[in-house]
Structures are given as C-alpha cells and as structure tokens.
Amino acid sequence: MRILIAGARGQVGSLLRQQASLRGWDVLAVDREELDITDPVAVNGRVAQWRPQVIINAAAHTAVDKAESEVAASFAINRDGPANLAAAAQQVGAVLLHISTDYVFAGDKVGLYVESDAVAPQGVYGASKLAGEQAVAAACPRHLILRTAWVFGEQGNNFVKTMLRLAASRDSLGIVADQFGGPTYAGDIAAALLTMAQQALAPGFSQWGLYHFAGEPHVSWHGFANAIFQVAVEQGVLARQPAVQGIGTADYPTPAKRPANSRLDCRKIRQVFGILPSDWPRALQNIKAYA
C-alpha cells in the first residue's frame, strides 16, 4: 500500500503516520513545510511523483475562534487544499480520505446527527469545512469523508491538555455544561481511516461518501472535564481534583458559536466498515501522555 498523508504533524496525522508504518505500508507523510496543499502545482507534482493508492488529508485550519478573523486562510486550507488533493488523487486513480467536522451542523437538533441531516454551519470554520467536503466530492468520486468531533490526542492542543494545565494551578474551574458531544481519541480516528482505506481498495467497493465517527458515551464538556480529572488524580498526574462548576454557554462567550449538540450517529460506519465508536474513557487511561 502506497499512502500519502497530508497534515502529518497534527493530532491525527502524527498517529496516522505511526499506525500506517506499523502496518507495513509505504508512507509519504508531509506537513506544511514539505507540501503546501493550497498550491495546486506543488500538490499535483508531488502526487504524480509518488503515485499513491491512497491520499489521506489530515491537514486543516482548526483554530475555530481565529477562523472568524482569518477567513481567507480558513478557506484556503479547509476548502482549496482538499480540492487540490482530490483533483490530484483523481488524476492518478487514488482514493481520497478527508477529515471533516460536526461544525457543519447548526447544533440545534434533538437527537443524534446522521450523515443525511441538513447542514447549516454557524461560523467560518464550519463553513470552510463544509466547502471542503463539497470540493472533495466534486473533484474525486472515489472519496470517503469522515466527520468527527471533540478530538484529543498526544500531539497538538486539545481540551484534555488544557484541563490538565489549568487544574495544576487552580482550585476551581467553570466548565460549559450545556454543550454535548462525543470526545474522540485521535488514535481511533487514525485507525478508522486506515481501516476504511484498506477496505476501499478491495475490488467492487462502492460505498463512497460521508461517514460519522466520534466517541461514546456522549457527555458535556463539564462531564468530560470531571472524567479527565478523576483519572488524572487516580494516576498521580494531579495531586488533587479541582472543584468543577457547570456553567452555560452564555457565561463563556467566544468569537465563534459552538454547537450545543455535537452528537454524531455512528451506525453507518459500523454497518459498512465494522468500525465501532471511539472509546474515549479507554484512551484517557493513558493520561500521562497528555500531561
């Protein structure tokens, strides 16, 4: 298997690189310094030279609040970059896998979001990611788009690392309790993408399109924080558990609006690929890796 991974130093990309190498696949892992995905000439040249069977795009502009003021950069990385990778994949006959987000939805649905639900992004980040989905679908029919949510991992910045850092210096914290979702371990996303890629190369595969993959059980940010602190104290990462007060979204204003409901229905990916939701409580047992 020849695979090209874009965004190889990010939360998911770094683990994609590790896991693909462990599977014995021939991996070309690139980040912004090695390949600017917003440059179509550079993308076409690298893909034509490497001729991968699979391209996985783990690159993204994920700074949700900064995106509100960095509109051009958000769309360049989240829309134009995926479009360039998809066009290059189509040219060499490769399969393209692309990571998207729960932010394509309004977040006001009662119940779990399924792949066919109407999209209505509430900010620049979600709009740019939705544009990326559409660009990928238009440029490369053999595509798999994986929407996920609340990602955390050993690399990069994420909620788990932020909570551990704050808890080390504060006795109490106010954490949003009226937004709900499924925390998703980056290593589980990587494993899901590689499993999908392998099955997609099988003769006769035709289940292209959108899939949801996130963690279970669903919790609020407040509930997730409490779970983090409990494990951290049990394993000696924190000396004591801070008092955690549940607050409302209105009490914690941000430049970008957050979805109140980020719960994704993961039945389709289980039915087609046999992939189960991310087991985030299990991933938290490795809490020292995030400290």
Side-chain angles (χ1 to χ4, degrees):
M1 173 93 74
R2 289 173 68 84
I3 181 171
L4 187 153
I5 299 169
R9 293 195 183 95
Q11 287 197 93
V12 177
S14 59
L15 294 170
L16 270 170
R17 183 178 67 247
Q18 292 176 17
Q19 293 184 22
S21 296
L22 288 172
R23 292 184 183 216
W25 295 1
D26 199 0
V27 181
L28 175 61
V30 295
D31 209 84
R32 187 179 308 172
E33 292 76 11
E34 294 86 22
L35 179 63
D36 179 1
I37 64 170
T38 68
D39 182 344
V41 175
V43 171
N44 285 335
R46 182 60 66 91
V47 171
Q49 180 185 39
W50 179 249
R51 300 197 71 82
Q53 297 164 278
V54 173
I55 298 174
I56 301 182
N57 180 34
H61 186 287
T62 58
V64 175
D65 289 324
K66 285 185 178 180
E68 295 298 307
S69 58
E70 298 178 354
V71 179
S74 296
F75 276 87
I77 298 169
N78 294 340
R79 177 195 61 196
D80 302 341
N84 294 335
L85 289 168
Q90 181 68 7
Q91 285 293 318
V92 299
V95 171
L96 180 76
L97 288 84
H98 173 66
I99 303 172
S100 191
T101 175
D102 59 295
Y103 275 74
V104 301
F105 296 116
D108 57 0
K109 178 181 178 179
V110 176
L112 309 185
Y113 276 101
V114 297
E115 288 82 355
S116 58
D117 279 331
V119 290
Q122 300 296 293
V124 172
Y125 171 68
S128 66
K129 291 296 288 183
L130 176 59
E133 289 186 6
Q134 295 166 340
V136 164
C140 183
R142 298 174 72 219
H143 68 269
L144 296 168
I145 296 169
L146 192 72
R147 290 176 179 154
T148 190
W150 294 26
V151 181
F152 69 95
E154 294 86 351
Q155 301 294 320
N157 298 316
N158 54 65
F159 185 78
V160 176
K161 290 187 175 185
T162 298
M163 289 300 101
L164 292 175
R165 185 179 71 251
L166 292 176
S169 60
R170 299 187 188 180
D171 294 325
S172 63
L173 294 168
I175 307 296
V176 172
D178 58 356
Q179 297 172 16
F180 295 85
T184 314
Y185 174 53
D188 291 337
I189 298 173
L193 287 166
L194 295 176
T195 296
M196 295 170 76
Q198 191 162 27
Q199 294 187 32
L201 290 178
F205 180 84
S206 62
Q207 300 296 310
W208 309 107
L210 286 165
Y211 291 87
H212 288 173
F213 177 75
E216 291 181 3
H218 299 126
V219 291
S220 66
W221 290 114
H222 177 268
F224 190 26
N226 275 320
I228 293 166
F229 297 144
Q230 181 178 343
V231 174
V233 170
E234 289 173 354
Q235 298 193 9
V237 172
L238 293 176
R240 45 72 182 132
Q241 184 166 341
V244 183
Q245 176 188 359
I247 63 174
T249 298
D251 299 318
Y252 188 73
T254 56
K257 182 179 179 181
R258 264 62 175 177
N261 177 18
S262 291
R263 295 177 296 166
L264 301 178
D265 189 315
C266 300
R267 286 179 294 180
K268 181 181 176 184
I269 197 170
R270 181 184 305 197
Q271 292 166 355
V272 175
F273 294 100
I275 295 171
L276 301 177
S278 175
D279 184 354
W280 64 263
R282 174 193 52 78
L284 276 188
Q285 294 302 311
N286 189 31
I287 196 80
K288 292 181 180 179
Y290 312 110

